[in-house]
Amino acid sequence: MLSKEEEIDILKSKSNYEDAQSSSIEALKIVQKSRGWVSKQAIREISKVLKIPESNLEEVATFYSQIFRKPVGRNIIRYCDSVVCYMYGCEDIKSCLENALNISIGGTTKDFRFTLLPICCLGNCDNAPTIMINDNTYSRLSLKQVVELLELYK
């Protein structure tokens, strides 16, 4: 069930758009911000608040990789796997992260501290390889620096 606060925020957001469908991304983001992910039940409840079909919300939620459909870690690590980052060692960074966290791409650590996700480009090609942890970007990383970064977020 949506909290009263979530419902109020969704309705407030809806008023900024011409129609309810246009506010669906904002509604999903509101729920994700408060819960960390968007469940099937949350989709159903948002649908009732916005008065749009659940399928429309599912389409939006599954299209955007930044909308999480399952529980994720407290810290989201995105490693850039663009061509430039590939040339500068993103595969080594990815392997280092997988080994240090004992998860594979798309996985979440058992303690829900970290989720590891690929991203096609972080727009920081002149400083490759690049990763992003939550809202912070780290560039020109060595494997040693990657391990040190993980310690900062534990």
Side-chain angles (χ1 to χ4, degrees):
M1 180 167 212
L2 294 178
S3 70
K4 196 67 185 164
E5 197 171 82
E6 289 171 327
E7 191 173 332
I8 290 168
D9 288 347
I10 289 169
L11 290 171
K12 196 181 300 178
S13 172
K14 180 183 171 188
S15 69
N16 295 324
Y17 294 90
E18 287 186 27
D19 58 64
Q21 179 65 40
S22 300
S23 68
S24 59
I25 293 174
E26 288 305 318
L28 293 166
K29 287 168 53 180
I30 287 167
V31 170
Q32 181 166 287
K33 186 176 181 180
S34 68
R35 301 175 183 200
W37 67 291
V38 181
S39 68
K40 179 89 177 152
Q41 180 64 34
I43 295 268
R44 192 170 300 123
E45 293 167 11
I46 294 169
S47 166
K48 290 176 186 169
V49 171
L50 293 179
K51 297 181 175 103
I52 59 175
E54 287 178 40
S55 60
N56 290 16
L57 285 163
E58 284 285 352
E59 287 174 5
V60 172
T62 55
F63 179 80
Y64 292 103
S65 63
Q66 302 301 312
I67 301 294
F68 303 122
R69 297 306 314 277
K70 62 182 183 181
V72 293
R74 194 173 63 238
N75 299 294
I76 307 294
I77 302 172
R78 293 175 177 90
Y79 80 94
C80 182
D81 65 354
S82 69
V83 170
V84 174
C85 279
Y86 182 82
M87 292 170 37
Y88 284 90
C90 77
E91 286 295 312
D92 292 337
I93 299 288
K94 180 188 88 168
S95 295
C96 178
L97 288 165
E98 287 178 322
N99 292 332
L101 300 173
N102 198 26
I103 58 174
S104 55
I105 299 304
T108 298
T109 57
K110 289 180 181 174
D111 60 4
F112 284 91
R113 286 188 180 183
F114 295 101
T115 294
L116 180 59
L117 300 171
I119 190 161
C120 60
C121 186
L122 286 170
N124 200 27
C125 299
D126 56 333
N127 294 305
T130 301
I131 69 170
M132 194 169 181
I133 302 177
N134 302 328
D135 294 329
N136 301 308
T137 303
Y138 301 96
S139 304
R140 296 183 180 173
L141 292 168
S142 68
L143 298 180
K144 182 181 176 201
Q145 289 171 315
V146 169
V147 173
E148 290 170 355
L149 277 173
L150 293 177
E151 290 299 317
L152 293 175
Y153 287 90
K154 281 194 170 180

